[in-house]
Amino acid sequence: MDSEFPDPDEEFDLVHEEEYEILKEIEELGKKKGAESGKIENSQEEQRGDKLNISRSNVHEELNAITSSKYNESRTPSTSKVIPSTNNDDFDTDVTKKRHYDELFGDISDMLDTNDLADIQEPKDKKPRWDEPQEIIKAVLDAREKFNEYSRGVSVNRKYIKDKRESISLRVPRWNFVALTRPRDAQRIYLRVKNDEQSKIKTNTHSISNLLSVPYSQLKTEAEEIIVQNVKRANCETSHLPVTKTLENDELWVDKYRPRSYIELLSDESVNRQLLHWIKLWDKTVFNRNYIDNKKKKLNFKFRNSKFVDEKPFQELDNRGFPIQRIALLSGPPGLGKTTLAHLVAKHAGYNVVEINASDERSPDAFRQVLLASTQMKAVIGNDPRPNCLVLDEIDGAPTASIDLLLKFVQGKLIPKGKKDKTKTDKHVCHRPVICICNEPYTPSLRILRAAAFIISVPEVSATKLADRLMEVSRKEKLKVNPDALLRLVEISGCDIRSCIGALQYMGGVNLRDNLSFALKDSRKGLFDSWKQILKIPVNRNGILPLSERVQLVLKTVQNGESEKLAQGIFHNYPEICSDKLNYIALCLKWFQFFDEILFLVGSLQTWSIMPYLNYAFVTWHLYFAKARNIKLSYPSIVYEMNQKHARNIGVLTTVQRNSGHNSIILTVDIAPFLPDLLSPQLRTVSGHLYSDKEKNDINRLVNVLIDFGLTFIQEKNLDEKYDYKLDPNIFEIGIFPDCKYRRTPIHAVKQIIVQELEAERLRRVENAIKSMTKSAQNKKSITSESITNNNVTTNSTTSNSAKICNNATSKPNALEQSKKLQMETKDIKYKDFFGRTITVNQGEQKKLHKESIKSRNFLTKNSVWYKYKEGFSNAVRRNVKMKDLL
Amino acid sequence: MSLWVDKYRPTSLGKLDYHKEQAEYLKNMIQKGDFPHLLIYGPSGAGKKTRIMCIIRELYGCGVDRLRMETMTFETPSKKKLEITTISSNYHIEVNPSDVGIHDRVVVMDLVKTTAQTHQIDPSGQKEFKVVLLTNVDQLTKDAQHALRRTMEKYVATCRLILCANSTSRVLPAIRSRCLGIRVPAPSISNIKNILHSICKREGLTLPDELAKRLAETSGRNLRRAILMLEACKVEQYPFTADQNITEPDWQVYIRNTASLMVSEQSPKKLLAIRIRLYELLTHAIPCDLIFKGLLQECIKNCDLQLKIEIATVAAEYEHRMHKGSKPIFHLEAFVARFMAIYKKFIDSSLEGFV
C-alpha cells in the first residue's frame, strides 16, 4: 500500500480502512444475529447454533476474502475461528457457495482491481464523511443499536440487495455501467453502477452485503434446514447435553460475555475512538503505513470539494513519525472494561497484545526485560507474526522506579545495559504502542507518567446500556429477571460491569431484588467526599437526619484512616463555611489541639490504643461547622507549600550556620533581620577607583561580612531576561517579611562592584594565608611552638593548604584552574575561623605589612599571580599584556 | 569577623563589661581548680555564650582559640544517618543537639561518651578534663536529658559539661541539681548604652546619648540585637541623629501587625487572613514560642487587668499544649480564635454598659 502515487480511490480506501473494518464487523454480526434470530424459536439448540454461526461467518469471511485482501490487518480472531469437522452440512453449503462465487468472480477477479470494486460499490458523494467523528460515532451507534435489537430477538426490516449476478454482465446492460476489459481474452465486462438511493447506513451495509452470493431468503432457509437437522441430531444425542452444560457453567459469565469485537464494547464511543485513533497513529512506525498523511490527503480531498477548510491540521506525530505522546493512559474506576477496551482496540489495530499486570513482577529489572522483549522483538515462529502492543494493567501499583524506567524507555533515553554500540541508539526507542491502565490517575507514582502520556479517562457506562446488556446476558442464560431489578443492580454497583455480571451469575437472577446489598462495593470515598460528608448536614426526604444518625455517619466516614489528612482539610476549609460564632470556633480549635496532641503521642510512643479517640473530634467539628447549604471545598495545598518553603529556609539556615558558626535560632531571630540592611550600603554607581575612603570602607566591611557568612552573589537571569545578582544562600528570604518595611536594594552596577571586590578579597585572603605560612616557617626555625600560637593561630591550620597551593603554583601553570582551586581553598580556610578574631588580627597585620605594596598595585607580583580568563577568549588578536595591567 | 557583634566581643573574663562580680567569682572558681558542671542560663542576648567562651579560655589559655568546625555523623537505632555540626578546639567541643530534632538522644550519648572516654592528650594543658558545651539545652527532649544525667556522673573525671539554656524551666530537675547554675541576667539599659558608646569610640564614630538609649530600649535589653541595630543604623545613616530611624527585626513588626489585626476585627475571615500570616512566620523558622510571646504582648496592650489575666492564662495553656503536639499552627490559631472570642465578648459587654 505504499505505492508512490496512490490514486484518489486508493487513498479513500486507506483513509477509511478502520471504518471498513468496523462496518464489516457490524455486517458479520448482523448476519450472525440474523441467522440466530432465524432459529431463535429452537432455543434448546444453542450450542449447535453457535457452531453454525461460526461456520457461517467463516463462509462470509471467505467471501469477503478477496475484497478485504487489501487490508493488511487481519480481523478479530473470534470470527475466524473455524471448526471444520463439526458439521458436514455446513461444509456442504460452504462448497456450494464457493462454487457460486467462482462462477461469478473466478475469471475476473484477477483483473478486477479492488479499487475498481470499491469504485463501483461506493459512490463517493454519498458516503458519510468519515473524517467527522460525530457521524461515524452516530453510524457506529446506529449499528450497535441494530445489533442490540437483534440480540433482543427483534427482527428488523432490512433491505437485501439483489444478487451480484445482476451487477455484472458480459453484454451491454440496460442499467448504468462501467466497462472493463479482461486482459486475458480481451473480453468486455460491464459492471453495474449503483444508484444513490440508500441512506447512509444502508450504503455501508450494502457495500459488503453485496458480497452475499446467495440471497438472504435462500440463506435463511438453508440455515433453518440446518437447524432442523441439528435438532434431530441433538435429539439423538441428548446424553451429551448435560456434559456441555456443566462445562459451560464452569466459565465465568464475565469472561463468557466479554465483548469479542470493537462493536460490542459498552464503553462510550468517543473514548473508544480516541484510543483507536491514538493507536492508529503508530501505523507509520509499526506498519510503515501513513495514517496521518492519509488523513491529511483526505482533508485536501475535502478542500477540493470546497467543503470544509476550517478543520485544524493534525499535528500528532513528531518529525520521526512517532506519536507525540507515546503512551496512552486509560484511567477510570474498576469494572468499566478498560482492560477489555485496550485489548480489543489493540487487536483491532492489528497488534498482538502483551499484558503485564500487578500479578507479574514489576521491579525495574524485570520490567526492563519485559519491555525490551515485548517491544523490540516479534514472534518469528508461529502463524501470527503480528507486532506486539504492550498493555500495562494496574500500573498505579507499580513501583515508581519502574515507571521512571518505562518513561525513559519510551522517550528513548534508556541506555541499554551492557551494550557497547551506542551508535545505534535509535534502536532503543520504543517502536510499539504502550497502553497503561490505572484506576487512580493521581497516584503520586504516576505523576511523571501523567505529564507524558495521552490520558483517556473512561467514563461510566450509561445505566440503561448496561442494563440492556445484562438483560441480554440473562436472556441467553435463560434467567427470568425483572428489568427494574437489573437497573437497580446497575445503580447500586455504580455501573461496574464486572460486578453486575458477577452478581447476576451468582444470584442466578432468582431473587435479585432481595439480595441487592450483596453487589455493593466496599466503597472507599475520596477525600473530598469525606470532607463534604463531615462539613455538610445530611438531608433526606424528611429533612435533616436525627443527631444520632448524623454522628454515626460521621464516625463511619472517618473510620477508614487518613484522619490526619481529613483533619487537615477541615482545618483548611472551616473558616469559609462556619458561622460567625467565635465561641464555637475556639472550642473546635481546642479539639484540633487535642487531635494534634493525640497524634503526636501515638507517633512518638506508639500507643495506638488512644487512636480511636481521634474520631470524636470529627463529630464535634461536624456538629459545629456543618452547613446545610452546598459548600465549596478546596484542597489544603498550602500545607504542602509551607512545608516546602520551610524546608528550603532550613536548608539555607544550616548552610549559613555551617559557614558562620552561629546558632540557627540566633541567626533567624537576631542576625538575619539585620543582614539586608547591613549589606546594602549607599554606594554611588561609579567605578571602584572613584570611591571615597568611606565608601571603600563600606565595601570592605560588606565583603568581609559576606565572606564570614559564606555568602556570594550569583548571576541569574530574571524573568524579563535581565541578569541580576542573587544572594546564595539567600538568607534575605529568612530575614525579610512581606510588606513590613521598604528596603533599598543595591542596584545592579553596585552589585557588580561588590562581586568584583569579593573575588579580590578571596584572593587576598589566600595570599595572606601563604604569607603567614612562610612567616610561620621562619618562625618555626627561630622561635618555639608556643610563640606560634600567640603569633598567628590560623597559621598551622592553613599550612597544609598553602603548601598545596605552592605545589600547584609550580606544577600547574594553568591560571584558570588555579584560581578555581584557590577559591575552594579560601572556603576551607573560612570554615576555620570561628569568631573571626584570628583572621582579623591576622589581616590587620598583613595589611599593615603590605600597605605600600597594595598602593603600588603590584603586591601580588611578589608571589605567583593568578588571573582568570573570561569566557569567549580567543587568540585571534594577540597583544602583549603586562601583569600589572591585569591587576 | 567583621560584624561589630563579633569584632568587639570580649575574650577574657577580665574584659567583660557587666556583671563583673560574677565574672570575678567565675575566675576564682577556675583558679581554685574545683570546676563543677555548669548550667548557664539567661535570656538571649545577655552574653551567656561570650561568658562561656571566656571561661573556657580562662581554663585552657589561648589554645581554645584554634577552632575547627566539623560535621559528625551518627546513626540512630533505626539506621538513620544524622549529621551535626560541631565546633571544637583541642580542649573543648561545642554542639547543639537540638539541631537533629528528636534524635538528640543519640547525639548526646555518642558525643559525650566519645569525648569523655579519650583523655586529654596534651599533658601541658592545665586541666585534666575536657569541656563539652551543649547549647540550647532547654530544647532537648526528655529522653536526651535522661541520657545526659547518668553520663554526667559517670565521666566526671574526664569531662565537664557546660550547659547553656534560655530558661531552666524545661531542664530536668535531676540535671539542674547536678550542675552549678549560673544565671546571666540581661544587661541593663545603661550597660548597653555604655557598650554602644565604647564600640562607637573604637570605631571612631560619635553616638548621641539619646540614640544609644533608644537603641537599648528597642532591643529589649538584648545586647546582640542592640549592637546589630547600631551597625544597621550606621549603614543607614551617618552621622547619627538622635531621632534616627531604628531598624527593627522584620518578624517583630510582622507579629505586631498580626496582633493588631486580631484586635481590629473578630471574624472567621480575619482568622483566615491571620492564618496565612502565621504560616509565613512559621516558614521563616521563627520559633513558635516567640510567636506566642509576641502575639500575647501586643494583644494585651489594650485590655484591662482582668482580661489580661485571662488571656495570659489561655496563652500559657495553649503554648504548653503546643509543646506537647507537633503542629504549631493548630495551637497558634486556637489561641487567636480564643482571644478573639474573649475579646469580642469583652467589647460587646462594655458596649452594652455604655448604652
Side-chain angles (χ1 to χ4, degrees):
Chain A
M1 275 306 136
D2 24 354
S3 64
E4 286 198 57
F5 304 104
D7 56 340
D9 302 326
E10 224 166 22
E11 278 172 34
F12 204 85
D13 274 356
L14 283 168
V15 170
H16 300 310
E17 254 169 7
E18 48 181 292
E19 283 82 23
Y20 281 168
E21 282 172 56
I22 297 166
L23 285 171
K24 211 180 326 150
E25 275 184 36
I26 296 169
E27 184 60 24
E28 279 168 20
L29 272 167
K31 277 182 224 147
K32 202 201 274 185
K33 296 298 169 188
E36 214 173 50
S37 68
K39 48 97 211 201
I40 203 79
E41 75 274 353
N42 215 336
S43 52
Q44 276 184 336
E45 293 309 301
E46 226 157 326
Q47 289 158 271
R48 295 285 168 193
D50 278 347
K51 277 181 200 160
L52 171 87
N53 276 342
I54 291 163
S55 47
R56 179 65 39 119
S57 64
N58 184 30
V59 172
H60 296 317
E61 185 151 56
E62 284 188 28
L63 288 182
N64 291 337
I66 291 172
T67 2
S68 60
S69 64
K70 64 183 180 222
Y71 307 121
N72 294 6
E73 298 132 65
S74 63
R75 257 146 296 129
T76 52
S78 63
T79 51
S80 58
K81 257 179 219 151
V82 195
I83 316 155
S85 61
T86 46
N87 216 320
N88 277 329
D89 302 312
D90 283 2
F91 222 67
D92 284 344
T93 48
D94 254 344
V95 172
T96 50
K97 265 170 224 153
K98 253 192 186 140
R99 216 176 291 133
H100 236 117
Y101 189 79
D102 286 348
E103 272 169 25
L104 287 169
F105 287 104
D107 46 350
I108 52 164
S109 57
D110 48 350
M111 59 120 196
L112 260 184
D113 200 324
T114 47
N115 292 324
D116 297 350
L117 257 184
D119 205 5
I120 298 162
Q121 286 163 3
E122 294 153 352
K124 268 167 231 149
D125 37 359
K126 224 18 195 183
K127 274 225 87 157
R129 251 165 231 97
W130 294 109
D131 36 37
E132 290 156 31
Q134 298 89 348
E135 283 190 37
I136 314 163
I137 291 173
K138 208 174 147 226
V140 176
L141 286 178
D142 281 351
R144 198 168 283 166
E145 184 73 18
K146 211 173 247 176
F147 158 75
N148 283 341
E149 275 173 11
Y150 270 123
S151 58
R152 273 183 239 155
V154 186
S155 65
V156 186
N157 270 342
R158 238 178 116 182
K159 200 165 155 195
Y160 281 96
I161 301 96
K162 287 168 256 166
D163 197 349
K164 205 120 213 172
R165 215 182 296 234
E166 287 182 40
S167 303
I168 303 166
S169 162
L170 294 180
R171 278 164 302 174
V172 179
R174 276 165 300 162
W175 22 266
N176 289 342
F177 64 88
V178 169
L180 295 166
T181 309
R182 188 160 55 188
R184 202 182 335 140
D185 47 4
Q187 169 75 58
R188 279 302 251 193
I189 288 167
Y190 300 94
L191 291 174
R192 178 176 215 138
V193 175
K194 280 274 149 46
N195 294 336
D196 312 330
E197 68 223 342
Q198 281 119 332
S199 68
K200 275 180 214 157
I201 277 298
K202 277 171 193 154
T203 324
N204 308 335
T205 49
H206 125 149
S207 67
I208 300 165
S209 60
N210 240 353
L211 302 175
L212 268 184
S213 52
V214 190
Y216 175 70
S217 50
Q218 196 180 325
L219 266 180
K220 195 182 171 187
T221 48
E222 275 175 29
E224 275 166 2
E225 239 172 75
I226 294 162
I227 290 164
V228 172
Q229 280 177 6
N230 284 343
V231 172
K232 279 178 197 162
R233 200 174 306 162
N235 285 340
C236 304
E237 313 165 34
T238 34
S239 57
H240 283 283
L241 264 176
V243 180
T244 43
K245 262 257 159 75
T246 48
L247 268 177
E248 188 191 7
N249 282 344
D250 277 352
E251 199 181 7
L252 281 178
W253 289 3
V254 178
D255 294 326
K256 195 169 157 195
Y257 296 104
R258 190 179 289 281
R260 306 279 175 217
S261 67
Y262 183 82
I263 196 73
E264 284 182 66
L265 286 171
L266 270 179
S267 44
D268 192 51
E269 179 58 30
S270 60
V271 170
N272 300 351
R273 278 203 75 78
Q274 260 184 322
L275 186 63
L276 191 63
H277 178 75
W278 176 81
I279 208 164
K280 280 287 185 185
L281 289 175
W282 282 93
D283 277 8
K284 169 116 168 85
T285 348
V286 180
F287 298 108
N288 200 16
R289 268 180 321 195
N290 236 343
Y291 178 67
I292 282 297
D293 280 2
N294 289 336
K295 282 240 173 190
K296 272 200 185 129
K297 271 179 204 153
K298 180 191 63 200
L299 279 179
N300 293 339
F301 214 61
K302 274 202 307 193
F303 185 58
R304 260 186 278 157
N305 292 350
S306 70
K307 291 267 166 64
F308 301 96
V309 203
D310 50 9
E311 223 172 287
K312 272 187 279 170
F314 286 87
Q315 192 53 62
E316 287 152 314
L317 294 185
D318 60 11
N319 46 12
R320 285 157 71 202
F322 291 100
I324 286 176
Q325 290 148 323
R326 298 199 192 164
I327 297 180
L329 180 66
L330 282 177
S331 67
L336 290 187
K338 294 182 297 297
T339 313
T340 314
L341 172 66
H343 277 246
L344 271 183
V345 166
K347 263 185 204 161
H348 191 84
Y351 292 94
N352 181 31
V353 180
V354 177
E355 185 184 314
I356 305 172
N357 55 30
S359 63
D360 303 312
E361 202 199 338
R362 292 194 288 194
S363 67
D365 275 346
F367 211 64
R368 173 196 287 264
Q369 277 208 335
V370 179
L371 273 180
L372 292 178
S374 56
T375 58
Q376 299 188 341
M377 291 171 203
K378 190 174 154 182
V380 187
I381 320 162
N383 49 2
D384 202 17
R386 289 185 293 175
N388 289 327
C389 168
L390 194 58
V391 173
L392 302 169
D393 209 348
E394 294 145 19
I395 190 126
D396 36 0
T400 319
S402 300
I403 291 171
D404 277 347
L405 186 95
L406 170 69
L407 260 186
K408 263 189 214 155
F409 172 71
V410 163
Q411 288 160 353
K413 286 174 195 156
L414 189 70
I415 298 126
K417 240 187 214 169
K419 284 201 176 176
K420 281 159 230 158
D421 49 345
K422 274 170 187 160
T423 47
K424 280 186 185 177
T425 40
D426 194 51
K427 267 212 114 175
H428 305 288
V429 176
C430 181
H431 283 282
R432 299 286 179 262
V434 179
I435 304 175
C436 301
I437 301 174
C438 67
N439 286 336
E440 181 51 68
Y442 294 101
T443 315
S445 61
L446 291 185
R447 195 170 45 207
I448 36 165
L449 185 65
R450 230 170 33 227
F454 176 59
I455 304 171
I456 304 171
S457 65
V458 181
E460 286 188 349
V461 184
S462 78
T464 46
K465 230 175 171 183
L466 179 53
D468 278 358
R469 177 61 63 91
L470 289 179
M471 198 66 207
E472 185 197 324
V473 169
S474 50
R475 200 176 41 71
K476 277 191 190 154
E477 293 292 337
K478 295 179 291 296
L479 292 175
K480 276 181 193 141
V481 206
N482 188 345
D484 285 345
L486 283 182
L487 259 176
R488 180 103 180 84
L489 176 69
V490 169
E491 228 170 73
I492 283 181
S493 67
C495 286
D496 183 336
I497 304 171
R498 183 169 32 214
S499 74
C500 277
I501 296 182
L504 206 60
Q505 181 172 11
Y506 293 109
M507 308 291 302
V510 190
N511 34 13
L512 200 56
R513 197 182 267 282
D514 306 333
N515 293 335
L516 271 178
S517 63
F518 146 85
L520 198 61
K521 260 192 266 186
D522 181 18
S523 56
R524 223 187 99 236
K525 280 192 193 124
L527 279 173
F528 274 94
D529 291 329
S530 304
W531 289 330
K532 219 162 222 166
Q533 192 91 55
I534 295 165
L535 291 176
K536 212 180 145 186
I537 297 173
V539 180
N540 64 5
R541 278 176 223 120
N542 313 323
I544 296 172
L545 286 177
L547 209 58
S548 57
E549 271 184 49
R550 276 168 63 183
V551 171
Q552 283 301 325
L553 209 62
V554 170
L555 284 180
K556 209 171 161 190
T557 313
V558 296
Q559 239 167 21
N560 59 0
E562 294 197 346
S563 42
E564 199 175 342
K565 271 238 169 83
L566 283 176
Q568 199 76 262
I570 290 167
F571 181 71
H572 180 76
N573 283 304
Y574 84 86
E576 300 279 358
I577 43 183
C578 68
S579 59
D580 274 355
K581 295 253 191 231
L582 279 165
N583 276 337
Y584 293 164
I585 296 177
L587 202 132
C588 287
L589 282 167
K590 260 195 155 173
W591 275 92
F592 273 108
Q593 290 186 294
F594 169 76
F595 186 88
D596 183 32
E597 279 169 45
I598 295 272
L599 216 58
F600 183 72
L601 260 183
V602 171
S604 58
L605 301 177
Q606 313 294 319
T607 46
W608 295 95
S609 54
I610 53 172
M611 196 76 170
Y613 295 106
L614 287 185
N615 293 349
Y616 294 96
F618 289 98
V619 176
T620 326
W621 297 330
H622 170 70
L623 293 180
Y624 282 112
F625 290 150
K627 274 272 140 59
R629 67 184 148 86
N630 249 344
I631 46 177
K632 223 180 113 198
L633 297 174
S634 55
Y635 192 82
S637 53
I638 190 167
V639 180
Y640 175 73
E641 281 164 29
M642 289 300 163
N643 280 344
Q644 289 256 303
K645 216 172 147 195
H646 188 241
R648 203 174 59 227
N649 282 343
I650 290 289
V652 168
L653 273 179
T654 31
T655 351
V656 177
Q657 183 188 357
R658 254 174 221 172
N659 288 335
S660 66
H662 283 286
N663 197 325
S664 65
I665 291 177
I666 292 172
L667 266 180
T668 35
V669 175
D670 281 343
I671 295 177
F674 295 106
L675 273 183
D677 282 327
L678 293 175
L679 294 184
S680 53
Q682 280 168 324
L683 292 169
R684 289 172 298 154
T685 53
V686 290
S687 165
H689 307 291
L690 301 174
Y691 277 147
S692 64
D693 277 350
K694 180 185 163 283
E695 279 167 326
K696 267 183 191 155
N697 279 336
D698 274 344
I699 278 210
N700 214 353
R701 185 190 54 86
L702 187 127
V703 165
N704 281 331
V705 171
L706 283 176
I707 291 179
D708 285 344
F709 284 92
L711 308 172
T712 42
F713 280 107
I714 285 183
Q715 206 172 31
E716 265 177 19
K717 228 176 205 170
N718 268 352
L719 287 175
D720 45 348
E721 295 290 301
K722 272 184 192 162
Y723 281 106
D724 195 13
Y725 284 103
K726 288 242 171 78
L727 199 66
D728 177 67
N730 197 350
I731 195 160
F732 286 1
E733 257 182 35
I734 291 162
I736 296 178
F737 280 83
D739 48 62
C740 267
K741 188 193 163 196
Y742 167 76
R743 291 173 200 278
R744 57 162 186 271
T745 46
I747 53 173
H748 188 72
V750 174
K751 278 184 185 167
Q752 251 171 341
I753 295 168
I754 292 172
V755 172
Q756 276 173 13
E757 288 294 317
L758 198 65
E759 295 283 296
E761 176 65 25
R762 290 237 159 98
L763 291 182
R764 220 167 287 146
R765 288 203 177 190
V766 173
E767 201 56 38
N768 290 341
I770 295 168
K771 263 277 149 203
S772 57
M773 189 272 298
T774 48
K775 212 166 66 180
S776 71
Q778 286 169 359
N779 284 346
K780 256 178 201 163
K781 283 173 197 164
S782 54
I783 321 165
T784 56
S785 62
E786 183 111 351
S787 64
I788 299 169
T789 44
N790 283 332
N791 183 16
N792 197 330
V793 191
T794 41
T795 325
N796 279 348
S797 55
T798 50
T799 309
S800 56
N801 285 335
S802 27
K804 229 187 277 170
I805 292 162
C806 282
N807 286 340
N808 285 338
T810 49
S811 62
K812 282 188 188 170
N814 187 333
L816 186 68
E817 257 185 41
Q818 247 171 35
S819 72
K820 269 185 193 163
K821 264 235 164 65
L822 283 170
Q823 279 177 28
M824 277 155 59
E825 301 292 355
T826 26
K827 268 183 195 159
D828 283 352
I829 289 162
K830 208 170 57 222
Y831 288 134
K832 273 147 205 156
D833 47 43
F834 166 45
F835 280 122
R837 271 154 295 177
T838 54
I839 270 286
T840 26
V841 168
N842 181 15
Q843 256 174 356
E845 283 179 18
Q846 299 293 335
K847 268 177 196 158
K848 269 175 217 159
L849 270 171
H850 290 286
K851 205 134 212 174
E852 292 84 9
S853 50
I854 292 167
K855 271 180 185 163
S856 60
R857 299 186 59 78
N858 61 353
F859 73 105
L860 282 170
T861 44
K862 286 175 186 166
N863 311 289
S864 15
V865 169
W866 296 283
Y867 51 91
K868 214 175 177 177
Y869 283 119
K870 284 279 181 220
E871 229 180 337
F873 165 82
S874 99
N875 52 8
V877 179
R878 282 190 186 194
R879 65 197 177 98
N880 292 331
V881 178
K882 293 266 168 55
M883 267 309 140
K884 64 178 177 187
D885 294 335
L886 286 171
L887 294 166
Chain B
M1 271 205 189
S2 45
L3 283 182
W4 290 352
V5 190
D6 303 317
K7 204 165 158 188
Y8 299 111
R9 196 186 288 277
T11 49
S12 72
L13 283 173
K15 284 184 196 159
L16 288 173
D17 294 298
Y18 52 92
H19 308 323
K20 290 197 170 163
E21 204 177 339
Q22 189 188 54
E24 201 61 35
Y25 288 149
L26 285 170
K27 209 171 185 173
N28 287 338
M29 182 178 76
I30 290 161
Q31 275 163 1
K32 282 272 160 22
D34 183 20
F35 189 78
H37 297 302
L38 291 184
L39 170 60
I40 300 195
Y41 59 99
S44 87
K48 297 184 293 296
K49 193 78 173 297
T50 312
R51 215 153 279 242
I52 291 169
M53 288 318 287
C54 292
I55 292 170
I56 295 175
R57 199 185 163 86
E58 191 74 31
L59 278 170
Y60 301 107
C62 319
V64 293
D65 288 343
R66 210 183 303 156
L67 294 165
R68 327 178 263 280
M69 223 165 177
E70 282 164 357
T71 44
M72 295 177 90
T73 49
F74 299 99
E75 200 175 76
T76 61
S78 55
K79 300 282 171 212
K80 193 182 165 193
K81 282 255 180 353
L82 297 175
E83 269 197 357
I84 195 164
T85 317
T86 62
I87 301 166
S88 57
S89 71
N90 283 340
Y91 309 102
H92 86 287
I93 183 162
E94 178 193 337
V95 73
N96 180 6
S98 53
D99 278 352
V100 289
I102 55 165
H103 300 295
D104 50 3
R105 189 177 65 99
V106 192
V107 175
V108 166
M109 279 163 53
D110 278 19
L111 183 100
V112 175
K113 272 184 194 160
T114 46
T115 319
Q117 278 161 355
T118 52
H119 287 262
Q120 198 67 269
I121 312 160
D122 190 2
S124 65
Q126 293 97 321
K127 307 288 180 220
E128 66 275 18
F129 56 83
K130 285 196 197 176
V131 167
V132 176
L133 167 56
L134 300 179
T135 52
N136 290 2
V137 181
D138 43 356
Q139 289 177 20
L140 286 184
T141 59
K142 288 272 177 297
D143 278 352
Q145 296 194 27
H146 281 300
L148 204 56
R149 179 170 123 154
R150 186 80 191 98
T151 38
M152 279 172 102
E153 283 175 352
K154 207 170 168 189
Y155 300 108
V156 76
T158 47
C159 101
R160 297 285 190 282
L161 287 170
I162 300 182
L163 310 178
C164 177
N166 276 340
S167 110
T168 52
S169 64
R170 253 176 273 153
V171 181
L172 284 186
I175 292 184
R176 258 184 276 165
S177 82
R178 281 171 173 78
C179 299
L180 173 68
I182 296 170
R183 176 161 177 271
V184 183
S188 66
I189 299 280
S190 60
N191 282 340
I192 294 179
K193 254 166 67 185
N194 289 339
I195 292 165
L196 293 183
H197 277 301
S198 77
I199 286 175
C200 279
K201 212 158 96 190
R202 279 149 89 180
E203 279 286 316
L205 309 168
T206 51
L207 177 69
D209 201 45
E210 281 117 284
L211 184 65
K213 189 156 182 256
R214 277 180 60 217
L215 281 170
E217 276 161 2
T218 346
S219 68
R221 288 172 71 196
N222 181 335
L223 183 60
R224 174 175 37 236
R225 204 175 291 168
I227 298 174
L228 279 163
M229 278 174 174
L230 175 70
E231 195 173 356
C233 281
K234 198 246 152 189
V235 175
E236 176 97 11
Q237 181 194 356
Y238 186 78
F240 295 121
T241 53
D243 51 353
Q244 179 172 3
N245 185 27
I246 295 174
T247 317
E248 264 186 282
D250 265 6
W251 59 269
Q252 269 189 343
V253 180
Y254 201 76
I255 291 178
R256 204 158 53 220
N257 293 347
T258 312
S260 59
L261 274 182
M262 280 161 62
V263 176
S264 68
E265 189 193 325
Q266 291 85 34
S267 69
K269 221 174 100 194
K270 261 278 131 45
L271 206 56
L272 203 60
I274 289 171
R275 176 193 295 174
I276 291 167
R277 293 178 76 92
L278 290 178
Y279 268 131
E280 188 73 30
L281 280 166
L282 287 174
T283 49
H284 278 74
I286 304 291
C288 20
D289 33 4
L290 274 184
I291 303 177
F292 249 112
K293 199 173 151 195
L295 286 179
L296 180 69
Q297 274 176 346
E298 282 306 312
C299 284
I300 57 175
K301 267 186 184 161
N302 37 7
C303 299
D304 67 358
L305 192 61
Q306 194 57 41
L307 211 58
K308 267 183 192 166
I309 294 170
E310 194 180 345
I311 291 170
T313 320
V314 167
E317 185 202 332
Y318 282 25
E319 198 207 333
H320 177 63
R321 293 187 78 170
M322 178 180 73
H323 286 296
K324 290 204 287 181
S326 58
K327 292 193 179 63
I329 187 74
F330 284 169
H331 306 274
L332 284 167
E333 187 160 319
F335 170 67
V336 172
R338 187 71 190 274
F339 169 78
M340 280 182 170
I342 294 171
Y343 193 73
K344 199 171 187 194
K345 206 173 138 203
F346 166 69
I347 294 286
D348 287 351
S349 65
S350 64
L351 274 179
E352 259 170 38
F354 192 71
V355 169

